[in-house]
Amino acid sequence: MSKKYETIYRELVHKITNQVYPVNSFLPSENELATAYGTSRETVRKALASLLENGFIHKIKGKGSLVLDFDKYAFPISGLTSYRELDNLFDMHTQTTVLQLKKANVPQASFHLDSTEILPATYIQRLRTVNGEPIVIDSDYVLTSVVPEISRAVAQDSLYHYFEQELGLKIGYGNKEFTVVPATEEQCAILKLTPNSAVVSVKGITHLQDNTLIQFTESIHRADKFKFIEHARRQSI
C-alpha cells in the first residue's frame, strides 16, 4: 500500500501535467494542502520534497512552490521507475505488446560481461505504443536463478510490480548507459523508421537491495519522440 505522501505526490503530479496547476503558477500552501488531503504538514512536506527532487516545482522563500515546465515524454535519467509507473503517472495511455518471451542467456558482449560468464534468463521483448505510434522497444533479461518463470500476462503488465508485489523482492539499485546508435533493420521495421535512422539505446543492470543481480535491460527509443532529463540543483562541495 502506498504511503500517504506518495499518494499526494502522484495526485499533484497528475494535476501539474494536466495543467490544473499551470506552469509558473504556485501550488496551494502547505496548510491548504494539508487541509485538502486531511493530513499533517509534515506529510505534505514529504510530497513537496519529491516534487522538488523530480523537477516539478521550485521553492521560493516567502512565496511557495512554483510549478516548473515539465515534458511528460521526458524520461528521468536517474531512478528506477517502471514504464507502467510512468504511464500511470503521466496519463500516456500506452499500449504494450509482447513480441517475444523465451529462455535465453544474457548476451555477454551487449552488457560487457566476460565471455565465460553464462547467465540463463527469461528474455522478454515488448513494444510500447503511444497514440498509435510505436515508441520504445524494451528488451529484458531476467535471471532465472532469481525469478524462474515469467508468464505472458506478467510480461504484458509490469515486471517490477510482479517482482515486488507478487514475489516480495525489493529492487535496490542499478546503472544506466546511454548511447545514440543506428537502428537495426529489425528495429526500423518495428518502430516504423526509415533505414539508418538513429535511436537512443538505454542499457541497464538492476540489483536487489541485498545486491543480488536480477535483470539486464536494453530500451530502444525513437530519437524523435523521447528525450531524457536530469533535474539538477546546485550543491557546493
Side-chain angles (χ1 to χ4, degrees):
M1 181 178 293
S2 297
K3 297 178 180 178
K4 181 69 172 180
Y5 82 88
E6 293 173 338
T7 300
I8 296 171
Y9 166 75
R10 286 194 296 270
E11 289 191 16
L12 290 175
V13 168
H14 184 270
K15 289 180 178 180
I16 289 171
T17 56
N18 286 279
Q19 299 185 37
V20 175
Y21 300 128
V23 174
N24 294 325
S25 69
F26 284 89
L27 296 182
S29 69
E30 290 181 2
N31 284 334
E32 289 171 329
L33 288 171
T35 299
Y37 288 103
T39 190
S40 66
R41 287 184 63 185
E42 182 60 31
T43 299
V44 168
R45 287 193 189 105
K46 288 183 179 180
L48 293 177
S50 293
L51 291 174
L52 182 72
E53 180 181 354
N54 289 291
F56 291 101
I57 62 172
H58 176 64
K59 299 284 284 186
I60 299 179
K61 189 174 182 179
K63 291 189 176 181
S65 301
L66 179 69
V67 177
L68 301 179
D69 194 9
F70 190 88
D71 185 347
K72 72 177 181 178
Y73 292 104
F75 273 30
I77 290 175
S78 61
L80 291 173
T81 305
S82 73
Y83 196 100
R84 192 181 79 164
E85 288 168 339
L86 290 173
D87 184 41
N88 290 339
L89 192 60
F90 298 133
D91 287 332
M92 294 164 61
H93 303 295
T94 304
Q95 291 184 326
T96 296
T97 303
V98 178
L99 302 179
Q100 295 189 62
L101 177 63
K102 63 183 182 181
K103 299 298 184 183
N105 292 329
V106 178
Q108 293 103 329
S110 293
F111 294 98
H112 313 300
L113 300 175
D114 187 279
S115 60
T116 61
E117 193 170 4
I118 307 299
L119 297 175
T122 301
Y123 172 64
I124 307 123
Q125 184 187 58
R126 295 175 290 181
L127 174 64
R128 315 292 191 173
T129 304
V130 178
N131 296 325
E133 289 189 284
I135 301 296
V136 182
I137 303 170
D138 280 332
S139 295
D140 294 279
Y141 294 86
V142 180
L143 300 190
T144 53
S145 59
V146 183
V147 182
E149 296 293 336
I150 295 176
S151 68
R152 182 167 287 271
V154 167
Q156 184 73 39
D157 188 25
S158 169
L159 294 179
Y160 275 19
H161 182 272
Y162 178 62
F163 297 161
E164 295 177 325
Q165 303 302 320
E166 301 294 331
L167 301 183
L169 301 173
K170 293 187 180 297
I171 303 298
Y173 67 95
N175 56 35
K176 297 179 183 180
E177 175 186 278
F178 291 73
T179 54
V180 178
V181 297
T184 66
E185 185 175 337
E186 178 191 28
Q187 291 163 357
C188 287
I190 294 174
L191 294 175
K192 299 181 180 179
L193 298 173
T194 58
N196 302 316
S197 293
V199 292
V200 178
S201 167
V202 183
K203 293 182 181 179
I205 300 176
T206 304
H207 294 74
L208 300 178
Q209 284 188 353
D210 64 3
N211 201 44
T212 300
L213 182 62
I214 183 174
Q215 180 184 26
F216 293 79
T217 301
E218 181 177 22
S219 295
I220 299 297
H221 297 253
R222 279 181 54 168
D224 63 332
K225 292 296 180 183
F226 276 82
K227 62 183 177 182
F228 301 86
I229 63 166
E230 175 68 355
H231 190 76
R233 292 189 178 275
R234 166 69 175 154
Q235 290 184 344
S236 58
I237 56 175

